[in-house]
């Protein structure tokens, strides 16, 4: 009999976290859940802990320890609370850790899991965007396997010949174009949060859904891809592909282009990282090419979606620029979701923050977090000025 692999889910109550729980629930004989974490969703966390019989449940907001204890009464799951407890759970040595906290809040826990030297399934792209070099270095020294969960990077990972990176000429990231793909700038100006989070193909958390609508998500993914796959910045292209069936492509020097296809369901890339290097069955809808019919591809429009250009420039500039961009975007998306600014203000606030705040390249995670704090303060001041 083979022993069960131990797993931990950081951000278990979110969209990626719930998809992960769904897979684990179907394969209970293969996996043992050490810990699951959330920010404030006590009910969701307790319910998840019961579903997968987690040994430990951790709520980041330390004022919620007692409510969590009550919600877990009789379950056998130990409760703990606070950012330190999340870090401790992240670094507790699970064989496989899902890093699915949203935003830079996930940086510390993701780094703690990487330092543990086991397998880390990386969904938390903001952490990689802000601290890419440090994270890749840390994985190199701890021996952690960093497996991308983002469907595009997971697709590239499946097609990329790691033994012969010099044979790869180009990586093509696909983007659905989001809910405003065909909207005019004038229409986008008055777009509401509800319209922005209504993604045509994927069901996701609010922040990433807005990022898909501005195409900042694709910009962050460009930076993410640059850190994960050893090619120069100009070797990464982005094409709009409305059906979200071709998740990304790798072009080789001989002209061959390999792509990974599948239904738009995050359980497919998550399952790939969970079973890696094997494969596991999933309940996901199988791809029906005949029913899908046509696959379309087009160029992204830089005028209606300036976030893409900002991200590429931040990547070219390097240093602290990607961290500043990411922090400013998180603040602006929060302000948009809270009804404080308009949709088009998101990219302008990110652009202005990049202009007014130019720190030196961070040399440690602490420095990344300092830059993140200062960039947020700068972006928040701009939000206050442009508020409607
Ligand atoms: P959600 O907003 O749905 O979930 C976020 C999770 O993070 C929740 O568990 C939340 O807890 C937790 N969290 C939020 N803030 C904190 C904090 N300060 N401290 C500790 N935990 C916190 O996000 P998604 O699942 O959509 O996305 C997660 C990550 O995966 C993001 O980085 C996103 O870009 C990436 N990703 C997501 C995809 C998707 O399909 N959703 C696809 C590819 C990448 P609580 O519920 O208590 O607030």
């Amino acid at each position: 009999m083979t022993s069960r692999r131990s797993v931990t889910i950081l951000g278990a109550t979110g969209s990626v976290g719930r998809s992960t729980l769904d897979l684990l629930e179907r394969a209970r004989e293969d996996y043992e859940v050490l810990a699951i974490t959330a920010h404030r969703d006590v009910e969701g966390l307790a319910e998840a802990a019961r579903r997968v019989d987690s040994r430990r449940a951790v709520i980041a907001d330390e004022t919620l320890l007692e409510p969590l204890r009550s919600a877990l009464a009789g379950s056998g799951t130990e409760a703990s609370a606070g950012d330190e407890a999340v870090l401790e759970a992240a670094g507790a040595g699970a064989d496989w850790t899902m890093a699915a906290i949203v935003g830079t809040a996930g940086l510390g826990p993701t780094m703690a899991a990487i330092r543990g030297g086991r397998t880390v399934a990386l969904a938390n792209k903001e952490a990689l965007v802000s601290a890419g070099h440090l994270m890749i270095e840390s994985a190199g020294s701890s021996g952690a396997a960093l497996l991308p969960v983002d469907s595009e990077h997971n697709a590239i990972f499946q097609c990329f010949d790691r033994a012969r990176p010099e044979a790869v000429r180009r990586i093509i990231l696909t983007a659905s174009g989001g809910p405003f793909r065909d909207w005019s700038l004038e229409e986008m100006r008055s777009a509401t949060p509800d319209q922005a989070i209504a993604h045509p193909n994927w069901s996701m958390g609010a922040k990433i859904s807005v990022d898909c609508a501005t195409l900042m998500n694709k910009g962050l993914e460009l930076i993410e891809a640059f850190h994960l796959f050893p090619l120069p910045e100009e070797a990464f292209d982005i094409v709009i592909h409305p059906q979200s069936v071709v998740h990304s492509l790798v072009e080789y020097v001989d002209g061959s282009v390999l792509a990974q296809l599948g239904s738009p369901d995050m359980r497919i890339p998550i399952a790939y990282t969970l079973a890696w290097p094997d494969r596991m069955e999933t309940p996901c809808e199988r791809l029906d090419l005949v029913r899908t019919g046509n696959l379309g591809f087009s160029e992204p429009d830089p005028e209606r979606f300036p976030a893409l250009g900002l991200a590429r420039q931040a990547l070219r500039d390097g240093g602290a620029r990607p961290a500043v961009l990411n922090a400013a975007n998180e603040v602006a998306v929060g302000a948009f979701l809270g009804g404080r600014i308009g949709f088009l203000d998101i990219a302008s606030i990110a652009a202005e923050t990049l202009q007014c705040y130019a720190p030196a390249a961070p040399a440690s995670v602490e420095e990344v977090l300092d830059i993140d704090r200062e960039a947020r303060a700068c972006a928040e001041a701009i939000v206050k000025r442009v508020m409607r």
Side-chain angles (χ1 to χ4, degrees):
M1 196 182 104
T2 51
S3 62
R4 295 196 296 167
R5 281 177 84 203
S6 58
V7 310
T8 284
I9 309 173
L10 308 172
T13 47
S15 166
V16 171
R18 288 194 307 273
S19 293
T20 309
L21 289 163
D22 179 80
L23 292 168
L24 291 172
E25 234 184 345
R26 294 165 196 271
R28 294 183 78 137
E29 63 290 356
D30 298 324
Y31 302 98
E32 177 191 18
V33 181
L34 290 192
I36 59 175
T37 79
H39 186 208
R40 294 203 178 107
D41 182 359
V42 167
E43 288 310 315
L45 186 64
E47 194 216 314
R50 288 177 195 276
R51 272 171 63 193
V52 293
D53 202 13
S54 179
R55 277 203 225 164
R56 204 163 155 204
V58 187
I59 195 89
D61 183 336
E62 59 191 2
T63 65
L64 296 173
L65 180 57
E66 279 317 313
L68 180 63
R69 280 201 177 121
S70 310
L72 287 169
S75 66
T77 299
E78 181 200 329
S80 52
D83 289 334
E84 278 303 313
V86 174
L87 280 175
E88 200 190 304
D95 296 325
W96 183 91
T97 300
M98 166 55 77
I101 293 174
V102 62
T104 332
L107 176 56
T110 301
M111 287 297 278
I114 290 174
R115 285 190 202 105
R118 313 305 289 268
T119 301
V120 178
L122 184 73
N124 179 207
K125 68 187 79 179
E126 298 89 352
L128 188 63
V129 167
S130 298
H133 295 297
L134 299 167
M135 199 177 271
I136 298 300
E137 254 171 54
S138 181
S141 49
S142 73
L146 205 52
L147 305 180
V149 169
D150 231 335
S151 58
E152 295 76 1
H153 307 75
N154 189 270
I156 299 164
F157 189 85
Q158 295 193 43
C159 300
F160 193 95
D161 185 349
R162 278 175 293 285
R164 292 170 201 79
E166 68 289 347
V168 175
R169 182 155 61 194
R170 189 164 63 125
I171 284 180
I172 305 164
L173 290 155
T174 54
S176 71
F180 306 149
R181 190 184 65 240
D182 300 320
W183 287 32
S184 68
L185 265 179
E186 225 21 72
E187 288 169 319
M188 282 197 257
R189 198 176 303 286
S190 50
T192 65
D194 281 349
Q195 289 170 323
I197 61 179
H199 195 281
N201 305 340
W202 298 93
S203 158
M204 305 177 287
K207 192 262 175 184
I208 184 175
S209 298
V210 176
D211 286 346
C212 286
T214 56
L215 286 200
M216 182 64 88
N217 182 52
K218 212 47 57 180
L220 299 178
E221 287 182 6
L222 168 71
I223 301 173
E224 185 184 5
F226 175 80
H227 289 298
L228 292 171
F229 304 101
L231 291 183
E233 169 271 315
E234 59 278 6
F236 295 87
D237 276 352
I238 293 169
V239 296
I240 300 294
H241 166 50
Q243 294 82 7
S244 299
V245 164
V246 178
H247 297 303
S248 279
L249 311 92
V250 176
E251 180 187 314
Y252 286 86
V253 286
D254 61 4
S256 298
V257 179
L258 304 192
Q260 184 260 355
L261 285 69
S263 301
D265 185 327
M266 281 306 292
R267 290 175 300 180
I268 296 176
I270 295 170
Y272 178 86
T273 67
L274 190 55
W276 182 85
D278 295 326
R279 299 264 180 181
M280 66 191 280
E281 293 225 9
T282 71
C284 303
E285 195 180 329
R286 290 172 63 188
L287 183 60
D288 182 337
L289 283 174
V290 173
R291 210 180 66 207
T292 304
N294 296 318
L295 298 177
F297 300 93
S298 60
E299 290 257 22
D301 177 349
E303 274 173 35
R304 287 185 303 129
F305 300 102
L308 262 187
L310 290 178
R312 193 174 284 277
Q313 192 56 50
L315 175 58
R316 282 184 190 141
D317 295 345
R321 292 283 177 160
V324 173
L325 174 74
N326 177 67
N329 181 57
E330 283 192 38
V331 167
V333 170
F336 170 68
L337 286 170
R340 298 164 70 207
I341 58 168
F343 179 75
L344 295 182
D345 295 328
I346 300 173
S348 335
I349 288 167
E352 195 175 333
T353 308
L354 282 165
Q355 292 292 320
C356 72
Y357 181 57
S364 65
V365 171
E366 291 66 35
E367 283 183 27
V368 174
L369 293 173
D370 285 343
I371 289 167
D372 182 76
R373 259 188 299 276
E374 285 180 43
R376 277 166 197 273
C378 181
E380 188 55 49
I382 303 170
V383 166
K384 290 210 172 92
R385 203 193 67 227
V386 304
M387 253 164 63
R388 340 191 239 193

